[in-house]
Amino acid sequence: MSLAKRAQHESRFIDDRLGSSGFLKTQLNKVFPDHWSFMLGEIALYSFIILLLTGVYLSFFFQASPAETIYNGSYVPLKGVTVSQAYATTLDISFDVRAGLVMRQIHHWSALLFVAAISVHLCRVFFTGAFRKPRELNWTIGVGLLTLGIVEGFLGYSLPDDLLSGTGIRIGYSIVQSIPFLGSWLGFLVFGGEYPGTEIIQRLYVIHILLIPGIILALISAHLAMVWHQKHTQFRGPGRTENNVVGSRLWPKYAANGSAYFFVVFAMCGLLGGLAQINPIWLYGPYDPANVSAASQPDWYMGWLDGSTRLFMPWEFRGAGVTLSPLFWPAIIMPGLIFTAMALYPTLEAKFTGDRQYHNLLDRPRDNPTRTAIGAASIGFYIVLWISGGNDVIASTFRISLNAMTWVGRIACITVAPITYIFTKRICIALQKRDEELRTHGIESGLIRQLPSGEFIEVSIPLPDPAPIELTPAEPIEEGPSGDGARREGTLVGRAGRAVSGFFVNRETGPPGS
Amino acid sequence: MSDSDNRETGPDSPNSPEGADRGWETGGSVFDRSKTGSGAAATGGGAGSGEQALLPAGTSRGTDRAKTAPVPAFVGPYATILAREEHPDREEVDRRSYRRGVRLVTFWFALAGVAAVAFIVLNFAGDVHKEYYTPVLGICIGVAMAGLGFGLVVWNKRLMPDEEAVQERHPLHSSPDDVVAFEEDFARGYQETGVGRHKVLRRTLLAAAGLLGLAPLAMIFNFGSIPHGELQVTRWTRGARLATRDGVALRLGDLPIGGIATVYPAIPDQNGKFVALTDNQTAADSTVMLIRLRPGEDQPVPGRETWSVEGHVAYSKICTHAGCPVGLYERTTQHLLCPCHQSTFLVTQHCLPIFGPAARPLPQLPIAVDADGYFIAQSDFIEPVGPSWWSRT
């Protein structure tokens, strides 16, 4: 039977039973817009698949047990040392299990990549305004995925029960303990008693390999299903409107692209896992609550929380029979506020701008200076915290005083965000003005011509039509029918919106051409 | 997002085959045509007339290229193909490049196959203890995956016709009729249940569901105990000796001036022999640093003058900030530094926090020397060690 015949045979077999062809014929012709930045989220998806594959392999060899055992594997320096089963089996995976170390390192690298890809994807969605109606729900799911990804990563590198991760768990316990009213009880609940107890590794393991991956899988499915159903956003360009999608069809171009991309991501992780050492727990040694190595650093996505904890002032509230730890603010309140604000951002922006329209065409960052400035300021704040998470390493590498590093960080985490905000906003507006000049005056040729009358004029070349580059649309930022004027009187948001009038839509410096 | 989305051309639209043929025969690069073709769409699509707008041919730019017909190459029922490159194997000059493409794809796939075989062979035959093992396995995976990936990319770019397709978006919200019908159906069903009329039913149902929801909540309590003062105490008792991790109890004179030792409580067993408690559970709250200061250097808290012995002071090693071991001792400045968050404590000033996020001094362990010259604890710490919690007093 020829290949075509066989394919036809199979397709009809399935269609007779499921009636699938009617659905699939539309899906095969689904159009996806092409832009490199639309592939960032796919890196996250693919690294999650790699995480599942490698994680299953590792789980066959790992034992999440704190039971003490005398290590007798092939890593000579630790021979005869009393270690936990968790640590010993991680050593076995690294030194004695076939393909164990390469799988472990691929797993760790793709975990770093997973969170990194989500973060960059989130920035792309934010700065292009892709989260606007009708995609607010999907943005919220995405924020949930980022949070879960960070937690999942932390749990994962806590499992081997080495000195580095044990210290991380210890800090985690202290953070739980710092919660008002419930802290000490919650700590006992999570750890099955006073720290460290004997339960925690088993619990982390179950959550790491079953609970959170399950939730992530479900959320990713919902995320993709929504993208599929709502169709992807696209940048402005010739022929592209709010009501269409221009790109290539799923079959065969986009499918070939997507699978090629999966293999390339896997190749990258494979090479990293084989060639770049990561988390060498045999160098850290087994966990010992009385020991810690200097310059111990968590995985990259925990760095900002480490930094905020380092920078916070030693402010402990004691009085009225209660104590509020200085851990509570930088490690619980700060990330809690930031993730809540992130999850609510689409709603907040819509309230402030009064924009209730559907948006399928993307903004360029300059098109909405306020949003871009908020994003840039947030990134600035994050980077200050992230750098401060390694301030001891920087201080010792560059021979700077550690106390100076800390104070610079303390001042910077307050000042960098507003400064970045102001500068970004000015830059965006300047770029808008440049676009406006291009549109109205054309491209500068550098030629000066003298007219017979003696007058000098500058020769400018008009832009070709359609323009080869994308310009900010000449229309003002859309204010829906429920814009400024229609803001509900009296409500808190309405009043806040009036109070900061000009926050999102600036009347004077607003979009040119309006 | 309005009526412009109502584009429904049947699968047997008369346009399809013609459009397909015309597109197939045209030449020129797809980039040029995509611009002309979509330019047409720009004029019409925005105007909201749906598919009709895509069909009219001829913008002024279209005529620049005689052999390019600026019409949709293919109008399918689900997507309109604005521009479509002819299949790369059509013309003689292309065919040569096409054959090169085929060879290139074959090369990448073959390379992937070789790398996969190498992985399998190495998995069985490689020496897991040799240094080459993990890197070469990683390279095999990398090359195999990259071979497949690059092969597919080249296949996509060189062997498949490029195209620019347009698809209309359909309104996401349902038709007003459907919205109303759904709401009515739901309300009708709700009416039929009678939940609204029977207060008793509604309340008992909610109560039962709520109580059932409490059951798993109750099970959460099974995960751990409620703290009963465990956080207030450590394993130090009156008479416990200060022993190192190796179990050696320290005596007066064992430490040089400026010396430091991490010590654990050593408690007599049934036979009266002192055994050091160095397990993780004990170490997590009972680890202590014994430091010998120069005579007269120590400035104790008033009332604690008798807690030290000849310049020897003992402080909890568990940081009062986040519970890390305060591991770095700087002899010249008498600073103790926690490597986790850089809290700094001044040893000579009863371990006051002088920098970083820690707010409380390290708790001091009152020590003495017994008749045999061994360091002993006078009692447990008089305050809880480690980080703060809400009801810490």
Side-chain angles (χ1 to χ4, degrees), chain A residues 25 31 74 96 98 174 181 194-195 197 203 232 239 243 245 247 249 253 289-290 292 310 316 318 323 402, chain B residues 38 78 84 123 126 129 135 156 163 165-167 169 223 225 281 317 322 325 339-340 342 358 360 388 390 392:
Chain A
K25 75 181 169 188
V31 174
S74 42
D96 295 305
R98 289 196 165 273
S174 305
F181 300 106
E194 191 183 13
Y195 179 83
R203 290 180 183 182
H232 207 285
N243 299 323
V245 192
R249 287 176 297 171
K253 295 286 282 189
V292 65
R310 288 175 185 212
E316 182 168 278
R318 282 190 295 271
T323 306
L402 180 57
Chain B
S38 43
Y78 308 107
R84 192 178 171 88
N123 179 63
H129 299 306
N156 191 354
E163 69 175 28
V166 177
Q167 196 171 33
R169 290 177 194 273
F223 283 102
S225 52
Q281 196 69 44
K317 198 179 180 180
C340 286
Q342 283 80 50
R360 281 183 293 109
S388 305
W390 187 247
R392 180 186 187 277

Side-chain angles (χ1 to χ4, degrees), chain B residues 358-373:
Chain B
R360 281 183 293 109
L362 296 172
Q364 187 175 3
L365 183 73
I367 53 169
V369 172
D370 67 8
D372 299 326

Side-chain angles (χ1 to χ4, degrees), chain A residues 47-257:
Chain A
S47 37
F48 183 68
I49 295 172
I50 299 170
L51 283 167
L52 289 183
L53 295 174
T54 49
V56 167
Y57 187 74
L58 296 176
S59 68
F60 288 124
F61 301 99
F62 178 71
Q63 285 178 29
S65 161
E68 288 192 340
T69 175
I70 292 172
Y71 177 69
N72 195 25
S74 42
Y75 184 64
V76 178
L78 285 173
K79 258 196 173 133
V81 176
T82 306
V83 298
S84 67
Q85 280 281 1
Y87 188 72
T89 50
T90 313
L91 288 178
D92 289 344
I93 288 172
S94 308
F95 291 106
D96 295 305
V97 172
R98 289 196 165 273
L101 183 57
V102 74
M103 287 297 144
R104 219 194 105 214
Q105 296 194 139
I106 292 178
H107 194 71
H108 203 125
W109 275 114
S110 26
L112 300 190
L113 185 64
F114 180 59
V115 186
I118 294 179
S119 309
V120 180
H121 172 60
L122 177 130
C123 289
R124 196 283 292 172
V125 169
F126 183 86
F127 286 112
T128 59
F131 56 81
R132 291 171 296 175
K133 188 181 176 184
R135 297 181 178 78
E136 308 97 318
L137 294 176
N138 228 9
W139 163 271
T140 312
I141 290 180
V143 173
L145 280 169
L146 173 64
T147 319
L148 286 172
I150 290 173
V151 173
E152 178 73 344
F154 175 75
L155 297 184
Y157 82 72
S158 293
L159 288 176
D161 201 26
D162 58 296
L163 191 55
L164 181 67
S165 71
T167 307
I169 299 181
R170 165 78 243 205
I171 298 170
Y173 175 81
S174 305
I175 290 170
V176 172
Q177 211 180 38
S178 76
I179 297 172
F181 300 106
L182 301 172
S184 56
W185 174 73
L186 278 178
F188 272 54
L189 212 57
V190 174
F191 284 74
E194 191 183 13
Y195 179 83
T198 53
E199 310 288 329
I200 189 63
I201 292 180
Q202 173 67 25
R203 290 180 183 182
L204 295 184
Y205 189 52
V206 171
I207 298 171
H208 178 76
I209 67 166
L210 179 70
L211 194 59
I212 296 187
I215 301 174
I216 289 182
L217 198 58
L219 288 181
I220 286 181
S221 310
H223 199 72
L224 292 179
M226 275 200 216
V227 170
W228 197 278
H229 179 67
Q230 296 180 326
K231 296 200 175 81
H232 207 285
T233 51
Q234 60 188 351
F235 282 103
R236 288 192 168 78
R240 297 175 186 177
T241 72
E242 287 283 3
N243 299 323
N244 70 9
V245 192
V246 179
S248 51
R249 287 176 297 171
L250 174 69
W251 184 252
K253 295 286 282 189
Y254 195 77
N257 247 335

